[in-house]
Amino acid sequence: MVVFEPFRKGVGMVVKRNTWQREAVRSALGTQMGFVSAQGLHAALATSGSHIGLATVYRALADLANEGEADSLQSPEGEALYRACSLAHHHHLICRSCGLTVEIEADEVEEWAHRTATQHGFSRPEHVVDVFGFCSACVPPQ
Amino acid sequence: MVVFEPFRKGVGMVVKRNTWQREAVRSALGTQMGFVSAQGLHAALATSGSHIGLATVYRALADLANEGEADSLQSPEGEALYRACSLAHHHHLICRSCGLTVEIEADEVEEWAHRTATQHGFSRPEHVVDVFGFCSACVPPQ
DNA sequence: CTGATTTTGAAAATCATTATCAATTAGGTA
DNA sequence: TACCTAATTGATAATGATTTTCAAAATCAG
């Protein structure tokens, strides 16, 4: 039970080799319109004829996230989800029905998080800020 | 792979019976200073002499969360964490080292989340807003 | 007290994720 | 080009949290 560890591991370490597998994952992630799980991406790759291994997909996604090429977050059910992203820090507005994801600016929240942490004597704050809802194309259930 | 489900299940359904187990979980949760996992709470209960079953702790915590008596969130590692809470909606500032949790007001963020969702055509927004950092008692590692 | 129904708990089942480890491969080097 | 060596892959086993199963025990209304 390790609970309060930092979100992202330290940066820059060993060199990575270029393999078609890593490229396949990077590319497949790019075609996804929203967040996907490792399992989901592996299934998508399999469907499109790739014989890449599941463990490799997990490793590649973790690497992409470490290198800042992918965003990762936990679904409410605790599954890890990934999405290709720009390098800048940002947050997400995610449709609970179709998974459509909109990157949102949150300067306001960045500032608030930092200010609040400092006020309470906390240092090195990191925050989790994501908004889930139903996009305009998805009728809100009942 | 169910990913985009709502955070909290629907409210008010069948009646729950009163058992010492449920009360034990509610009470034990109240004595915790920060968020705990189901496993952690079960261990704490065992230490204090209770013979309550692990599955029962999971069930009781899920119920408390459904009824609004407990907050639940996912740790960065994907474990579900629980904490007794007041009924009002609020957010948390959590120490990554010792787990100390401070409930914080976030009217500013509530308003921002709602405004942002609406702007993008999203309805029924719910948000995940939690700040992790190191509390003043815990020296920030290097 | 009695019966109907819910709850419990030990153990098995799930399920996502990680670790193992032998075989393969990338990328530099002679 | 051939070779060397460390990094990478992938099938599979292991892990660990959470859920399900189901028979036995407990709750609560009448």
Side-chain angles (χ1 to χ4, degrees):
Chain A
M1 179 188 64
V2 182
V3 173
F4 298 110
E5 288 305 303
F7 298 142
R8 305 176 180 83
K9 293 175 190 165
V11 292
M13 32 213 70
V14 284
V15 273
K16 299 288 178 185
R17 290 181 178 176
N18 295 324
T19 63
W20 65 264
Q21 287 95 334
R22 252 177 236 287
E23 203 41 60
V25 169
R26 198 200 314 271
S27 152
L29 195 61
T31 70
Q32 293 287 136
M33 66 176 271
F35 278 87
V36 248
S37 63
Q39 309 253 3
L41 199 63
H42 177 254
L45 282 160
T47 299
S48 61
S50 171
H51 285 185
I52 188 172
L54 177 58
T56 302
V57 174
Y58 271 98
R59 285 186 283 239
L61 285 174
D63 286 344
L64 287 177
N66 272 339
E67 291 156 19
E69 286 195 65
D71 271 332
S72 69
L73 59 80
Q74 300 282 139
S75 78
E77 286 72 30
E79 222 178 5
L81 303 180
Y82 298 87
R83 180 171 194 265
C85 74
S86 49
L87 290 181
H89 178 66
H90 53 249
H91 298 282
H92 304 100
L93 178 54
I94 305 160
C95 177
R96 288 211 285 255
S97 175
C98 69
L100 171 71
T101 302
V102 179
E103 291 194 2
I104 50 185
E105 296 282 319
D107 299 331
E108 211 172 311
V109 178
E110 310 294 329
E111 196 263 326
W112 166 83
H114 196 276
R115 173 160 38 82
T116 302
T118 306
Q119 259 169 22
H120 290 272
F122 279 60
S123 50
R124 296 182 47 199
E126 293 199 36
H127 50 272
V128 176
V129 174
D130 290 295
V131 183
F132 291 77
F134 292 92
C135 78
S136 50
C138 296
V139 192
Q142 67 132 259
Chain B
M1 181 189 63
V2 182
V3 172
F4 298 110
E5 287 304 304
F7 299 142
R8 306 175 179 82
K9 292 175 189 164
V11 291
M13 31 213 71
V14 284
V15 271
K16 299 287 178 184
R17 290 182 178 176
N18 294 325
T19 63
W20 66 264
Q21 287 96 332
R22 253 177 234 287
E23 202 42 57
V25 169
R26 196 200 315 271
S27 152
L29 194 61
T31 70
Q32 294 287 135
M33 65 175 270
F35 278 87
V36 251
S37 62
Q39 309 253 4
L41 199 61
H42 177 254
L45 281 160
T47 299
S48 62
S50 170
H51 286 186
I52 188 174
L54 177 58
T56 302
V57 174
Y58 271 99
R59 285 186 281 238
L61 284 175
D63 286 345
L64 287 177
N66 272 339
E67 292 155 17
E69 285 195 64
D71 271 332
S72 69
L73 60 80
Q74 300 282 139
S75 79
E77 286 71 31
E79 222 179 4
L81 303 179
Y82 297 87
R83 182 171 194 266
C85 75
S86 48
L87 290 181
H89 179 65
H90 53 250
H91 298 283
H92 304 100
L93 178 53
I94 304 160
C95 178
R96 288 211 285 255
S97 174
C98 70
L100 172 71
T101 302
V102 180
E103 291 194 2
I104 51 187
E105 296 282 319
D107 298 333
E108 211 172 311
V109 178
E110 310 296 329
E111 196 263 326
W112 167 84
H114 195 276
R115 173 160 38 82
T116 302
T118 306
Q119 258 169 22
H120 290 271
F122 279 61
S123 50
R124 295 181 48 197
E126 292 198 38
H127 51 272
V128 176
V129 173
D130 290 295
V131 183
F132 291 77
F134 292 92
C135 77
S136 50
C138 296
V139 192
Q142 65 136 261

